Amino acid sequence: MTDTLHPRNLKGNLLPDQSYFRKGKAIAQTGRSKLQNQRAGLNNQILKAMRMRAGAENLLRATNNSKVREQVLLELSYVNADLQVLKEELERLNISVEVYQHTEQTASIPLIPLGLKETKDVDFTTAFKDFILEHYSEDGADYENELADLMDLRQACRTPSRDEAGIEMLLSYFQQLGFLENRFFPSSRNMGILFTWYDSFTGVPVSQPNISLEKASILFNMAALYTQIGTRSNRQTKTGLEEAVAMFQKAAGVLSYLKETFTHTPSYDMSPAMLGCLIKMLLAEAHECYFEKLILAGVQNEVCTLIKMAQEAAKVSEIYLQVFNAMNQAPIKENIPYSWTVMVQIKSEHYKALAHYFAAITLTDHQLTPRDDEDKQEKALSQLYDHIPEGMTAMNILKDKQQRTLLGKAHLSKAILCHEEALRLSNLCSKLKQINILQDILSAFHKRALLKDSIYKKEDDFLGILVTPDIVSKTEYKAEIIPPPLSRVKVIDFFQRLGPLSVFSAKQRWTAPRKVLLTLEDGELGFILKGDCPVQITALDPLCPAAREGVKEGDYIVSVEDKDCKWCSINEVMHMLNGINDQGKEIKVISIQDQTSSLHNKSATYSAGMQKTYSLVCLNMDDDKNPKTQKATKKLSFLSWGFRNHQKAASTLCLPSATTGKPESSKLFFSPYDSRACDSAMY
């Protein structure tokens, strides 16, 4: 495989300096690559174990021999145990979050990225070559370069680089899949190409001959790559945190598009329920990064600011609690990694502890002074709670040091309890217990709360116990789902040489190209060209030489003198047809089958308020050297059908004369494809 693949022109030659995708990096010995290698190996082992289990279950149903059944049941127990071990190992890979974090990440709780889905190799060569020969009547061997580029692009998408270039490559392949679906995958036929993708969480393979599975899996990997870029962002800087917020919002947008567009995906990691849960988790991580940006430069030690931080932290805790509840719903609970569920619960407790800690600092470290704005602080404190403890008011709390201290100590005790719960949960999960940075951060915040509590522990212990009021969550951040930029990357259809997709697609059927020798009769060809790319024959005179040669109304011209013209405009085709002599010129035409021909409404030039058509009745009048054209000295105000008696047929189409005078008694018969919004001019 080459490092860079370049687009090719219609002749199959490389276009200089126009690379439309950059191949992903090879699997190097990095931490992330090693994890992906291990994931691929585990997926293969899970596939083998599942095949063994399926075979044993079939044997168990087929046999009545008690001894054989006993051996099969024993074998099944071993296989199921092996599958459980493999699933736990895959879960360990999914929670290896420290590998994806920034190298300087030492003061932030790790974020959860999505792992890339693994796939098996797919060979498009044989099926596409056969289809090109059968459906497009072309030699599939002529498209070996395009097939090689397609295979290389798919292979590169298995290991995309963790940056915007990797995203663009996945976008390029996704758009190419749209072209492939239209060109090679008719709805009424199975192409015999099997796409296999492994579930990101369970490793269970899913195989289908439907290209929609391929498209959905690429979208999932695009979202996964966004999350990996977000987790790698430097969260010790404002720019890095802003990038992380944007990446998680974009990842949520891709999954939201996947959920709305592909509603019947067979893989459970892409089911609507699972995608909905993942979207909530990604938006929660975006909100977490936003909160970290608020406190990055430090929190101003002022009442209103501390209250705001308490409510922001409470909001993060509330969102993670919603994610935790979603993860505990069946059947998500059985498929999502258990360590993820625990991590989300830990974050909910951690940010709840932070909310109470900020509230405690507000009450214990500040006393209302004459210089303070009483109304502003009273309003802020009253909005901190849904219900202020009985016997207290916001103003009394501000003015009474005893009440402030009592309520502050209650918040501090609640913060310590939440920190202890977060530590307990992390120690119960063996996989999270091994993440040192998580343990260090939780312990540091717990010690800070204990240190603060020790300052007030000896004072006023006789005041009794106060039930800590809940903090009302509030935020200025609005979680936005950023839609995927599917149109941002412009790609060139690999198989554009087959012709414009509007005509040459898998859903259209047409005859094999027919050779027709075009000759003039009285300087006329007897038909009109219409449309662009490809040019279509219309208004065909049934008595003209072309009709006698086999040309039909609505045929498309695909070549002139063995020169492909499927992408040529009317002007280019007319230029190619210029200079027809006695020997004539050979063209190839095709006829659409099994459906009404869709004539083009596009016009090449515009004037005078009518749809443009081109007449070939006097094609050679510009050639001064041809004596046959010399007699055609004036343009007619109508299109002659080329009858030998030169009488106008009943279906004569009259167009405006080139002169300024009105044509006498000229009655217009418009084509059913006429568009009054388009202008026209007679050639």
Side-chain angles (χ1 to χ4, degrees), residues 277 280-281 284 317-329 332-333 336 338 340-349 425:
C277 180
K280 290 180 180 179
M281 184 186 77
S317 173
E318 179 185 284
I319 294 174
Y320 270 117
L321 182 59
Q322 294 173 358
V323 178
F324 172 72
N325 292 333
M327 288 182 173
N328 271 320
Q329 300 296 319
I332 297 175
K333 184 178 181 180
I336 205 164
Y338 169 72
W340 285 17
T341 306
V342 178
M343 174 71 91
V344 166
Q345 190 178 10
I346 288 173
K347 290 191 175 187
S348 178
E349 293 293 334
L425 291 171

Side-chain angles (χ1 to χ4, degrees), residues 391-455:
M392 294 183 178
T393 63
M395 184 55 69
N396 289 340
I397 294 173
L398 290 173
K399 292 182 176 181
D400 190 336
K401 181 180 178 181
Q402 183 176 344
Q403 288 189 7
R404 289 172 69 101
T405 304
L406 181 62
L407 188 56
K409 288 183 61 178
H411 280 295
L412 204 53
S413 298
K414 185 68 173 180
I416 293 172
L417 289 176
C418 291
H419 281 310
E420 290 175 348
E421 178 65 11
L423 283 168
R424 185 186 71 84
L425 291 171
S426 65
N427 289 326
L428 286 177
C429 181
S430 59
K431 296 178 177 61
L432 295 181
K433 192 175 181 179
Q434 298 172 7
I435 303 178
N436 296 329
I437 187 173
L438 176 63
Q439 300 295 326
D440 293 343
I441 291 174
L442 295 179
S443 298
F445 278 97
H446 181 229
K447 290 178 181 177
R448 184 181 69 170
L450 288 175
L451 180 63
K452 192 69 175 178
D453 182 65
S454 64
I455 299 175

Side-chain angles (χ1 to χ4, degrees), residues 445-498:
F445 278 97
H446 181 229
K447 290 178 181 177
R448 184 181 69 170
L450 288 175
L451 180 63
K452 192 69 175 178
D453 182 65
S454 64
I455 299 175
Y456 299 96
K457 191 173 183 180
K458 300 177 182 179
E459 298 181 9
D460 303 329
D461 288 342
F462 61 89
L463 291 176
I465 300 175
L466 180 67
V467 177
T468 310
D470 292 329
I471 296 175
V472 175
S473 62
K474 185 179 178 181
T475 182
E476 296 179 355
Y477 170 75
K478 183 180 179 181
E480 295 181 356
I481 294 178
I482 301 178
L486 299 181
S487 60
R488 185 184 69 185
V489 178
K490 303 298 182 183
V491 300
I492 301 175
D493 180 8
F494 280 144
F495 298 91
Q496 64 175 343
R497 288 196 292 137
L498 291 174

Side-chain angles (χ1 to χ4, degrees), residues 644-660:
R644 301 194 180 197
N645 56 8
H646 294 283
Q647 293 178 353
K648 290 200 296 183
S651 58
T652 297
L653 175 62
C654 298
L655 294 180
S657 171
T659 61
T660 58

